[in-house]
C-alpha cells in the first residue's frame, strides 16, 4: 500500500506507478534545471554586483558551443519525456479486451452508474480489485469530467457521444471521484464514492443489486436518501436546507404551495414531488430540485415514500391516498 | 578578478551619465523642459480625450487598465477568501462561480492581453524607434475608445445576465439556457464585448507592425532594434492573426443562438468540442500575446541593469517570432482529455515541446547576460530576477502538463491554475511591474521611492509564491479547479494560499502608494537615470517633448553597447550619434546637425 507523497495521492491502479515515475522524472529534471538557472542568477548577481558606479564591463563574446548545447540538451530531454508520455498515454487509451464494462451517466450534478445486470446506483461506483474496468460514459446535459485521483485517470464526459475510461484497481477501499469540468452551481458537489471490493464481494454486491435486493422498503428508502443525494437538500431533523425538511412532512394537511393554494401531503403528492418536482412548488422554496429523479424505478420511489412516512408521526386515512400501492403495505 | 578589466576607465560619477549631467547642469536645459513636455504642453480633460500623442494615449490606457486590474484583483481576493474554509465562507456557490468567472474574463481579456502593448508599447516603442509617433496616430486614439466601449460592454453583460461560465465559455454549458445560470444571451453579449475589446488589439498590432517597418530612425537597422521592439513585433503579429478567430467564434455563437443552427450545441446537432477548438485556437496564441511583451521588457531590464550586451541578441529576437508563429499550432494541448483523437493529442504534445525550447533559450540567455556584468540591484532588476525565478517554474510546469499521460492526471486541477499563474502573473505581470518602474521616470518625469519599490517587489515575490506554489501541491493531490467547496483534506493548503494572497495584495498596494507619492513629491527624474543606451533614454528628456525629439536621432550602434558608455554618456551628451560603431559594423559618420545637446535647446 502506497500512502502517497507530498506531491501525489496514494496509488490505487495499475497505471498509477508509471504515471508517477514519469511525474517524478520531469520533477527532478526540472529541479536540476531550476537550481542551475536560479543558482547561476544569484551567483552572478552577487559576484558581479555593482561595486562602484563607474564600472564599464567589457562585453562578453558570444559562445557558439554554449548556445548550441543549451538548445540540444533540452531538446533531447523533452523528446525523452514526450516519448515516455506518449507510450503511457496510449496505454491509458486502450482498455484490455476482458474489461468489465459499467455505463456512466453524468448529469447536473450527479453521477449514475449502471451495471451489466441492470443494477444502477447514484454517486457510488463499485468495482472489483484486480480486474480491468471500462467506463462507458455520456452526459445528459453539459460536459462533465470523471476524475479519480488515486487511479490517475480522467476523461471528459460529453453530451453527444460516448467516451471511455479504463483502470484496474490495485487496492480495496473507498476513494473519491470528482467532476473536473465546470458544470454550474453544484459542480464542486458533483463527486462520487469509488468503492473497490474484493472480487467475490463485488460479485455478491452486483447480484444483490447493490446489496439492497432484499431490503424492506423503508430501509431501502434510507439507503436511497443518501445514495440519490436527497440528503444534500432535505434534512430529517427539522432543520431547513435547500429543500424542506422531511421531519413531520408526511400527513401535513393544508401544506402551503408557492401559488398560495394548499395540499395534503399524501403518498400521491410525494410521488409527484419526486417525479415532477416543478409541478407543485412548496411555499418559500425555489424550483431547484433536480428533475432527473423521474428515472427512479417504481421500487425506489415507493421505498423513498415509505422512508418519508417514517419521518413523520402524522397519519392519514388511506381513503385520501388511492394510489398508495405497495408503499402503504410497507408501513 | 574580473573588475580589473571592467574598470579601466576612471570613475565618472554614478551612474555614468547621471551625475555628469547633473554637474554640467545640462540635464534639464534651463527654462525649457520643465515648461514644455508632453504632459504639460496642453491642458484640460479635452486635450487628453482628443490627443493623438502616443504618450498621452499610453497614459490614458494606464489609468483605465489600473482600474480594471484593481477590480479584477479584488475579485481574486474574494475568491481566495471564499476558499479559506470548506463550505460557505463569505458567499454562495452561484456568487462564487460568477466571481471567478469575472476575475478571469477581466484579467485575461481586459487586462493582460492589452496591457503591455497599450501602455509600454504605446509609450516606449515609437521613442525607441526614434519616431515622432506611431504610423497611424488617429487609429491609435480610436483603439482607446474601442477598448473603453468593450470594457463598458463587459459591465453591460453583467447587467444582462449572470455570467458564471469561467473565462473559457465552454459549450454547451454557456449556450444552453436550460443548463446554465447565465443564459445564452448574456454569454453572447459578453463574447461580443470581448471581441469589441479585441478589435483594439488588432488595430494596435497593425499600427505597431507598420511603425516598426516604416518609421525607424536612420541607422536603426533590424539588428539594432531594441529587444523590446522585437517582442512587440512578435506580439503584434499574433494579435493581428489570432484575434479575428475570436470574431468568427462570436459570429458562430450568434448564428447558432438566433437561427437555431446546430454548431456547438449538441441538442441542435452541434459539436461542443468544436467550440473548444475555436476557443483555444484563439486563446493559446493569446497566452503568447500576454507573454511576448514580457520577454521584451526582460531583455531591456537585464541588459540595462547588468550593463552588458544582451547575450544571444539574435536568438532572443528570432525566437520571439518563432514562438509567435509556432504558437498557432499547439492549441490542442488544452484538450488532451476532451475526447479529441489520440493522434491529434500526440502531435499537439510534440509541438508543445518544440515551442517550450525557445522559451528556455531565452532564460539561459538572460542569465548569461548577467555574467561579467555590473549588476545594479535597483527595483526593476529585482523584478527581472523575480521573473527569472517565477517564469522558470511556470515554463517547467508547462512541460509537466505537456506530458500526455501526466496531464491526464493534472488537467483541470489546481496544478494547471498554478502553472498559468506562474507564467501570467509571475511572468507577464512581474515583467510589466518591472517595466513600469523602469520607464516610470520617463513617463512621469518623477522618480519613485527606491526602498519602497524594493519592499514592494519583495512582498509580491513572497506573497505570490505562498499563494500559488501551494496550488501546485493541491493540484497534483487531485484538487479540481473551479470548486466552490472541497474535501477537508485540502483545507490547510487553501488557507496558506489565501494568506499568501493578502501579502501579494499588500505588495501591490505598496506600489500604488509609491506611485502616488512619486507624482506628488517624488524627486525630478534626470533624462537617463539608469544609464541605459536606448533612444528613449539617450536622446530625449524625462518626460519627453511632445514630439519626442527635436531632431531625428541617428543611430550608429546597437541598443546595448554599454561599453561605449564613456563616449555615449560622458562626452557629447547622451546621444547615439556621439560615438563610434561598437560592433564593427560600418560607422555612420556623425553629422554636425543633430548634435544632441544642441538638439534639445
Ligand atoms: C514553456 C512553455 C509552456 C508550455 C509547454 C505550456 C503548456 C501548457 C499546457 C500543456 C497547458 C494545458 C494544461 C491543461 O489544461 O491540462 C497549459 C495551460 C495554460 N497555459 Fe501554458 N505552457 C507554457 C507557457 C505558457 C505561457 C507563457 C502562458 C501565458 C503567459 C501560459 C498560459 C497558460 C494558460 C492560461 C493555461 C490554462 C488555460 C485554462 O485551462 O484556463 N502557458 N500550458
Ligand atoms: Cu462539474
Ligand atoms: Cu496553451
Amino acid at each position: 500500500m502506497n500512502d502517497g507523497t507530498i506531491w501525489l495521492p496514494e496509488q490505487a491502479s495499475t497505471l498509477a506507478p508509471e504515471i508517477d515515475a514519469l511525474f517524478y522524472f520531469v520533477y527532478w529534471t526540472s529541479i536540476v534545471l531550476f537550481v542551475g538557472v536560479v543558482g547561476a542568477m544569484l551567483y552572478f548577481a552577487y559576484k558581479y554586483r555593482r561595486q562602484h558606479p563607474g564600472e564599464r564591463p567589457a562585453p562578453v563574446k558570444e559562445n557558439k558551443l554554449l548556445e548550441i548545447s543549451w538548445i540540444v540538451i533540452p531538446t533531447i530531454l523533452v523528446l525523452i519525456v514526450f516519448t515516455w508520455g506518449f507510450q503511457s498515454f496510449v496505454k491509458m487509451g486502450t482498455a484490455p479486451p476482458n474489461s468489465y464494462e459499467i455505463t456512466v451517466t453524468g448529469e447536473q450534478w450527479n453521477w449514475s452508474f449502471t451495471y451489466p445486470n441492470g443494477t444502477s446506483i447514484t454517486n457510488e461506483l463499485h468495482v472489483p480489485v484486480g480486474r480491468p474496468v471500462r467506463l462507458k460514459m455520456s452526459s445528459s446535459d453539459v460536459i462533465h469530467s470523471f476524475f479519480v485521483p488515486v487511479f490517475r485517470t480522467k476523461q471528459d464526459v460529453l453530451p453527444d457521444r460516448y467516451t471511455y475510461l479504463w483502470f484496474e484497481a490495485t487496492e480495496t477501499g473507498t476513494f473519491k471521484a470528482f467532476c473536473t469540468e465546470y458544470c454550474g452551481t453544484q459542480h464542486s458537489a458533483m463527486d462520487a464514492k469509488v468503492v473497490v471490493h474484493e472480487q467475490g464481494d463485488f460479485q455478491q454486491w452486483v447480484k444483490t443489486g447493490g446489496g439492497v435486493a432484499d431490503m424492506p422498503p423503508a430501509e431501502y428508502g434510507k439507503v436511497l436518501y443518501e445514495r440519490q443525494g436527497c440528503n444534500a437538500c432535505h434534512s430529517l431533523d427539522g432543520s431547513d436546507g435547500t429543500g424542506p425538511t422531511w421531519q413531520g412532512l408526511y400527513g401535513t394537511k393544508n401544506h402551503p404551495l408557492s401559488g398560495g393554494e394548499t395540499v395534503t401531503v399524501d403518498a400521491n403528492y410525494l410521488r409527484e414531488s419526486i417525479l415532477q418536482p416543478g409541478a407543485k412548488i412548496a411555499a418559500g422554496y425555489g424550483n431547484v430540485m433536480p428533475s432527473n429523479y423521474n428515472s427512479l424505478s417504481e421500487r425506489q420511489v415507493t421505498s423513498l415514500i415509505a422512508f418519508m412516512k417514517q419521518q413523520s408521526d402524522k397519519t392519514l386515512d388511506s381513503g385520501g391516498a388511492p394510489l398508495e400501492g405497495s408503499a402503504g403495505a410497507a408501513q | 578578478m574580473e573588475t580589473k578589466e571592467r574598470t579601466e576607465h576612471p570613475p565618472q560619477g554614478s551612474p555614468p551619465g547621471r551625475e555628469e549631467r547633473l554637474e554640467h547642469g545640462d540635464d534639464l536645459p534651463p527654462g525649457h523642459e520643465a515648461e514644455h513636455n508632453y504632459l504639460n504642453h496642453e491642458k484640460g480633460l479635452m486635450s487628453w480625450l482628443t490627443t493623438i500623442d502616443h504618450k498621452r494615449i499610453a497614459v490614458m490606457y494606464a489609468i483605465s487598465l489600473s482600474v480594471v486590474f484593481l477590480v479584477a484583483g479584488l475579485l481574486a481576493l474574494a475568491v481566495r477568501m471564499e476558499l479559506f474554509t470548506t463550505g460557505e465562507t463569505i458567499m454562495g456557490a452561484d456568487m462564487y462561480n460568477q466571481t471567478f468567472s469575472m476575475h478571469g474574463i477581466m484579467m485575461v481579456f481586459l487586462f493582460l492581453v492589452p496591457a503591455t502593448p497599450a501602455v509600454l508599447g504605446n509609450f516606449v516603442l515609437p521613442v525607441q524607434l526614434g519616431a515622432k509617433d506611431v504610423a497611424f496616430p488617429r487609429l491609435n486614439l480610436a483603439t482607446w475608445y474601442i477598448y473603453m466601449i468593450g470594457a463598458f460592454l463587459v459591465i453591460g453583460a453583467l447587467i444582462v445576465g449572470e455570467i458564471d461560465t469561467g473565462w473559457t465559455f465552454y459549450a454547451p454549458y454557456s449556450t444552453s439556457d436550460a443548463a446554465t445560470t447565465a443564459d445564452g444571451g448574456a454569454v453572447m453579449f459578453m463574447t461580443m464585448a470581448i471581441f469589441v475589446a479585441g478589435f483594439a488589439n488588432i488595430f494596435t498590432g497593425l499600427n505597431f507592425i507598420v511603425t516598426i517597418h516604416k518609421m525607424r530612425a536612420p541607422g536603426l537597422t533590424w539588428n539594432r532594434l531594441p529587444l523590446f521592439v522585437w517582442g512587440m513585433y512578435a506580439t503584434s503579429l499574433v494579435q493581428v492573426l489570432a484575434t479575428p478567430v475570436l470574431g468568427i467564434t462570436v459570429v458562430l455563437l450568434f448564428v447558432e443562438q438566433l437561427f437555431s443552427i446546430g454548431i456547438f450545441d449538441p441538442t441542435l446537432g452541434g459539436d461542443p468540442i468544436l467550440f473548444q477548438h475555436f476557443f483555444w485556437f484563439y486563446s493559446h496564441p493569446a497566452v503568447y500575446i500576454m507573454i511576448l511583451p514580457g520577454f521584451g521588457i526582460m531583455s531591456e531590464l537585464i541588459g540595462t541593469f547588468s550593463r552588458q550586451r544582451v547575450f544571444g541578441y539574435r536568438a532572443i529576437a528570432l525566437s520571439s517570432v518563432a514562438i509567435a508563429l509556432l504558437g498557432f499550432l499547439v492549441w490542442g494541448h488544452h484538450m488532451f482529455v476532451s475526447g479529441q483523437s489520440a493522434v491529434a493529442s500526440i502531435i499537439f504534445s510534440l509541438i508543445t515541446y518544440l515551442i517550450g525550447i525557445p522559451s528556455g533559450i531565452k532564460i539561459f540567455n538572460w542569465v548569461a547576460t548577467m555574467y561579467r556584468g555590473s549588476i545594479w540591484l535597483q527595483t526593476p532588476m529585482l523584478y527581472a530576477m523575480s521573473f527569472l525565478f517565477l517564469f522558470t517554474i511556470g515554463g517547467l510546469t508547462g512541460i509537466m502538463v505537456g506530458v500526455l499521460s501526466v496531464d491526464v492526471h493534472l488537467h483541470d486541477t489546481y496544478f494547471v491554475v498554478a502553472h498559468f499563474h506562474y507564467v501570467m502573473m509571475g511572468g507577464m505581470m512581474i515583467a510589466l511591474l518591472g517595466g513600469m518602474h523602469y520607464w516610470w521616470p520617463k513617463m512621469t518625469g518623477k522618480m519613485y521611492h527606491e526602498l519602497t519599490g524594493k519592499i514592494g517587489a519583495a512582498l509580491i515575490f513572497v506573497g505570490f509564491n505562498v499563494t500559488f506554489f501551494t496550488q501546485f501541491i493541491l493540484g497534483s493531490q487531485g484538487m479540481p479547479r473551479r470548486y466552490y467547496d472541497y474535501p477537508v483534506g485540502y483545507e490547510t493548503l487553501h488557507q496558506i494560499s489565501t494568506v499568501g494572497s493578502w501579502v501579494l495584495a499588500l505588495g501591490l498596494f505598496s506600489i500604488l502608494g509609491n506611485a502616488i507619492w512619486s507624482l506628488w513629491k517624488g524627486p525630478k527624474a534626470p533624462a537617463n537615470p539608469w544609464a541605459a543606451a536606448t533612444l528613449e533614454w539617450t536622446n530625449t528628456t524625462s518626460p519627453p517633448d511632445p514630439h519626442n525629439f527635436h531632431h531625428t536621432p541617428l543611430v550608429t550602434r546597437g541598443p546595448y553597447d554599454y561599453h561605449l558608455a564613456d563616449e555615449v554618456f560622458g562626452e557629447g551628451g547622451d546621444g547615439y550619434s556621439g560615438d563610434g560603431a561598437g560592433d564593427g559594423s560600418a560607422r555612420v559618420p556623425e553629422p554636425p546637425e543633430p548634435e544632441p545637446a544642441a538638439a534639445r535647446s
Side-chain angles (χ1 to χ4, degrees), chain A residues 4-10 18-20 22-31 33-64 66-67 70-76 78-79 81-90 92 108-109 141-143 145 147-161 163 176-191, chain B residues 1-3 5-7 9-16 20 93-94 97 100 164-166 170-173 176 178-181 266 270-273 276 306-313 315 336-339 342 345-346 349-350 353-354 357 361 363-365 367-368 370-377 384-385 388-389 392-393 396 399-400 403-413 415 469 472-473 476-485 487 490 562-563 565-566:
Chain A
T5 60
I6 167 105
W7 284 105
L8 292 162
E10 72 181 278
E18 181 164 344
I19 310 287
D20 290 8
L22 183 46
F23 178 93
Y24 278 113
F25 178 78
V26 180
Y27 175 73
W28 285 113
T29 319
S30 298
I31 287 188
L33 282 168
F34 175 76
V35 169
V37 166
V38 173
M41 173 186 90
L42 293 175
Y43 175 73
F44 292 163
Y46 174 76
K47 174 99 195 265
Y48 304 112
R49 69 191 179 283
R50 191 169 86 143
Q51 271 154 341
H52 69 83
E55 282 171 3
R56 307 282 189 269
V60 169
K61 289 254 149 24
E62 307 242 317
N63 182 331
K64 282 271 148 0
L66 189 64
E67 291 192 57
W70 70 40
I71 296 176
V72 172
I73 295 172
T75 308
I76 294 173
V78 295
L79 286 179
V81 169
F82 164 75
T83 319
W84 191 347
F86 152 67
Q87 281 166 348
S88 43
F89 185 68
V90 170
M92 290 176 118
Q108 283 173 324
W109 295 279
D141 39 51
V142 300
I143 303 179
S145 190
F147 174 39
V148 187
V150 294
F151 294 164
R152 309 285 188 272
T153 185
K154 175 186 291 131
Q155 173 63 52
D156 282 5
V157 178
L158 300 168
D160 58 341
R161 65 182 83 161
T163 52
K176 230 169 160 54
F178 295 111
C179 173
T180 49
E181 187 62 69
Y182 176 72
C183 57
T185 312
Q186 302 277 2
H187 168 55
S188 65
M190 189 171 163
D191 51 2
Chain B
M1 200 186 132
E2 279 75 15
T3 39
E5 40 182 310
R6 296 193 288 142
T7 47
H9 307 280
Q12 295 203 351
S14 130
E20 288 94 311
D94 283 327
N97 294 340
F100 79 69
D164 69 339
T165 57
Y170 273 15
Y173 182 73
S176 97
T180 321
T181 319
D271 180 359
I273 294 195
Q276 299 179 23
S306 305
R307 298 197 66 68
Q308 264 295 356
R309 208 184 275 173
V310 177
F311 193 89
Y313 172 92
F336 289 156
V337 303
S338 69
S345 290
I346 290 163
S349 170
L350 185 61
Y353 290 126
L354 297 185
I357 305 261
I361 295 172
I363 292 183
F364 296 137
N365 279 319
V367 174
M370 295 169 72
Y371 175 66
R372 294 199 171 192
S374 162
I375 291 158
W376 193 18
L377 293 174
M385 289 170 63
L388 282 178
F389 185 103
T392 304
I393 296 180
L396 289 169
I399 298 291
M400 184 74 100
V403 183
L404 287 160
S405 56
V406 176
D407 185 58
V408 170
H409 177 61
L410 297 177
H411 175 72
D412 268 344
T413 67
F415 196 92
F469 199 82
F472 281 124
I473 305 174
S476 64
Q477 287 288 357
M479 167 79 209
R481 68 192 281 202
R482 296 176 173 169
Y483 260 33
Y484 165 67
D485 194 7
Y490 298 120
Y562 304 98
H563 59 293
D566 282 335

Side-chain angles (χ1 to χ4, degrees), chain A residues 122-124 221-231 304:
Chain A
T122 306
N123 295 338
E124 269 181 47
K222 181 172 170 34
V223 171
L224 288 171
Y225 169 69
E226 281 154 18
R227 279 194 187 167
Q228 296 290 342
C230 317
N231 57 353
L304 274 166

Side-chain angles (χ1 to χ4, degrees), chain B residues 280 283-285 287-288 327 330-334 352 419:
Chain B
W280 290 114
S283 290
H284 184 84
V287 310
Y288 290 103
V330 302
W331 77 89
H333 66 206
H334 297 272
T352 298
H419 156 69

Side-chain angles (χ1 to χ4, degrees), chain B residues 481-509:
Chain B
R481 68 192 281 202
R482 296 176 173 169
Y483 260 33
Y484 165 67
D485 194 7
Y486 50 85
V488 274
Y490 298 120
E491 196 171 38
T492 316
L493 286 168
H494 271 300
Q495 291 185 343
I496 298 173
S497 177
T498 301
V499 172
S501 72
W502 301 336
V503 179
L504 184 54
L506 190 66
L508 288 165
F509 279 114

